[in-house]
Amino acid sequence: MSNPNLPKLNVLMCGTGEYTTGWTGSGASTSDKKVGVVGLTCFDLRRLGKIDSLGMVGVNGKKFPQIRDHLQDKIGNVYKGLDVDFKSYPSDDSVDPEAYKKAIDELSPGAAVIIFTPDTTHYPIAKYALERKIHVLVTKPATQLLSHHQELIDLAAQNGVVCWVEHHKRYDPAYSDAKVRSAALGEFNFFSAWMSQPKNQLETFRAWAGKDSDISYYLSSHHIDICCWFLEGRAYPTRVVASAATGIATGEPYNCVPQTEDTITLLVDWQSYKSPRHRGTGVYTASWTAPLGAGVHSAQHFHYMGEKGDIAIDQAHRGYDVTVDGSGKMSYNPFYMKYTPSETGHFDGQRGYGYISIDKFVDACRTVNAGEGKPSDFDGQGFPTIKNTVLTTAILNAGRISLDEKRPVIIEKDGEAWKLV
């Protein structure tokens, strides 16, 4: 898909937080995303000639002076030849929750937005961009409501633009290899996934945790998408029941709002397309109250079982541990983002699947802009297009309803769309 002669892409980064800049508001992130992912990747893609102009939009423009200093210190002064300049919205002396509209209005059709903002804002920002023929890469969950996801599918098709969800685990070589191998294991039987982050992350998430979204939307979206991807064309979800543990996030010292769950589990029934007698079970658990000092920022693993064999992957422990006096053992994952420079001093993380996820999207947009492909071409190539990820949103939305209404939720096909009952 990559062609060095394709036109460069103008990109607007929506969101100024940890994943984009590595800045949390109180200083540099202490997670495994210390200098961010989106900004660093886009700066490098500009250096490599794939991106032309770069913008960044947030809500509070007063943060930008600190963000610029942070990016210069952690990126510009670290990697050779990496320019960290960008146009910012709103101005450095203003606060504007709808600054994204002005920023998008200044783009021309065929430009792209990369959305890493609070979950409740994904849909309105993506919708605004798609309606103006702007390509969209939105972080997971694409939307919180199934109806909104299906609206974005229609908008992307009507306007002839690329709309993908940033499910970067699809590009992890272990996961992509497992996807192919799973097809040889016969009918699906069982999938179990665990993903967690240490409870001190609640300090970062307190502004929205339990109010605007939950830990299932935030973390389980990863492995629910992987399971849906593995089972694409082979099985479909039919029923979701959710359960939650509580009490840690709402207590000292985190004091999140009363409705905040600590750990959420979704139990999902799957039905084979080909065999009426084959049904499977998926169990997806996510927590943001894991213990401190575990040596990893995100504990994450899954077990897949088919009728002829099984697959197990521990993505948190990749056989690479570093122990330092005073801080103990840490397990690193440079397969996701490699932050150490090359021997020449340049950024050297182009092979990381966090980088590849954005790079592939940029290439797809450039291909469409050049008239060398259609957005729908990518639906059949394993990419996390908005169309290919609809069942992930269906399961997540059903899980939220199940928790709120204390009942099972049924997923049904309704013509070409899906609905929750």
Side-chain angles (χ1 to χ4, degrees):
M1 182 169 64
S2 181
N3 179 343
N5 298 317
L6 294 175
K8 294 181 181 180
L9 185 70
N10 294 328
V11 175
L12 173 68
M13 299 174 279
C14 297
T16 62
E18 180 183 49
Y19 204 85
T20 299
T21 67
W23 180 258
T24 65
S26 58
S29 169
T30 58
S31 77
D32 57 346
K33 310 173 188 69
K34 291 179 174 57
V35 294
V37 176
V38 178
L40 176 57
T41 300
C42 287
F43 296 142
D44 190 62
L45 290 174
R46 180 170 60 185
R47 179 181 70 88
L48 296 175
K50 292 189 175 186
I51 287 178
D52 193 1
S53 68
L54 271 176
M56 186 184 300
V57 59
V59 171
N60 186 353
K62 298 174 184 178
K63 293 180 180 179
F64 279 120
Q66 290 178 303
I67 289 172
R68 288 192 185 91
D69 289 344
H70 164 76
L71 292 174
Q72 184 60 43
D73 179 49
K74 302 296 184 182
I75 296 177
N77 296 343
V78 173
Y79 303 107
K80 183 178 178 180
L82 206 52
D83 176 14
V84 296
D85 287 342
F86 58 90
K87 185 175 182 180
S88 59
Y89 307 82
S91 61
D92 290 3
D93 60 355
S94 63
V95 176
D96 181 4
E98 294 195 332
Y100 71 89
K101 293 183 178 179
K102 180 177 186 295
I104 292 173
D105 286 343
E106 291 188 10
L107 298 173
S108 298
V113 297
I114 299 177
I115 303 169
F116 276 81
T117 57
D119 292 355
T120 52
T121 66
H122 295 175
Y123 165 71
I125 297 174
K127 180 176 185 288
Y128 195 85
L130 292 173
E131 289 173 340
R132 285 152 183 81
K133 300 187 184 300
I134 304 297
H135 303 296
V136 170
L137 177 64
V138 59
T139 187
K140 48 74 195 166
T143 64
Q144 293 175 304
L145 300 180
L146 175 59
S147 59
H148 286 170
H149 190 121
Q150 293 182 145
E151 184 179 348
L152 295 186
I153 293 174
D154 294 339
L155 280 172
Q158 291 164 12
N159 289 284
V161 290
V162 174
C163 184
W164 290 8
V165 186
E166 203 279 322
H167 283 299
H168 52 253
K169 290 189 187 300
R170 291 195 183 202
Y171 304 101
D172 181 323
Y175 279 50
S176 59
D177 186 76
K179 189 256 196 280
V180 176
R181 293 180 186 276
S182 69
L185 300 181
E187 292 287 348
F188 168 65
N189 193 264
F190 180 74
F191 188 101
S192 175
W194 165 264
M195 192 162 180
S196 69
Q197 292 188 350
K199 56 177 71 76
N200 61 355
Q201 275 291 97
L202 288 168
E203 301 285 354
T204 301
F205 300 147
R206 185 188 290 118
W208 58 266
K211 300 175 189 175
D212 299 328
S213 193
D214 60 41
I215 189 57
S216 186
Y217 276 120
Y218 182 68
L219 281 186
S220 274
S221 47
H222 281 297
H223 282 110
I224 290 174
D225 174 70
I226 292 300
C227 187
C228 290
W229 183 41
F230 279 24
L231 299 179
E232 198 170 63
R234 299 167 52 206
Y236 59 94
T238 60
R239 180 176 178 267
V240 180
V241 179
S243 179
T246 62
I248 299 175
T250 54
E252 294 288 347
Y254 310 108
N255 299 312
C256 294
V257 295
Q259 64 267 32
T260 309
E261 298 97 353
D262 298 336
T263 304
I264 295 176
T265 297
L266 305 186
L267 178 67
V268 181
D269 294 340
W270 289 81
Q271 175 61 54
S272 168
Y273 277 112
K274 294 182 178 179
S275 171
R277 66 187 178 88
H278 280 97
R279 291 189 300 169
T281 302
V283 183
Y284 317 96
T285 301
S287 176
W288 46 21
T289 54
L292 307 177
V296 296
H297 179 68
S298 298
Q300 44 195 314
H301 55 260
F302 78 81
H303 176 226
Y304 174 97
M305 186 168 71
E307 63 177 327
K308 299 177 181 177
D310 67 355
I311 298 169
I313 295 180
D314 181 351
Q315 197 183 44
H317 302 93
R318 312 305 288 259
Y320 178 28
D321 299 328
V322 177
T323 305
V324 179
D325 286 345
S327 57
K329 179 183 289 187
M330 287 292 297
S331 294
Y332 288 99
N333 183 13
F335 310 106
Y336 165 58
M337 282 294 287
K338 179 181 181 291
Y339 290 111
T340 51
S342 69
E343 290 82 356
T344 60
H346 294 91
F347 175 68
D348 193 38
Q350 294 84 3
R351 296 172 300 281
Y353 56 86
Y355 184 105
I356 290 171
S357 178
I358 297 170
D359 187 22
K360 293 284 189 183
F361 167 74
V362 168
D363 281 345
C365 296
R366 296 170 69 216
T367 298
V368 171
N369 288 349
E372 295 187 5
K374 302 186 301 295
S376 58
D377 293 343
F378 306 110
D379 291 331
Q381 298 175 13
F383 293 107
T385 66
I386 193 69
K387 184 176 181 180
N388 284 347
T389 54
V390 65
L391 287 177
T392 299
T393 298
I395 292 170
L396 289 166
N397 191 178
R400 188 66 255 171
I401 294 171
S402 178
L403 284 173
D404 292 341
E405 300 182 8
K406 298 178 174 55
R407 67 175 180 87
V409 177
I410 306 301
I411 300 175
E412 293 181 351
K413 194 74 182 288
D414 183 18
E416 292 301 310
W418 295 86
K419 68 178 181 180
L420 305 180
V421 181

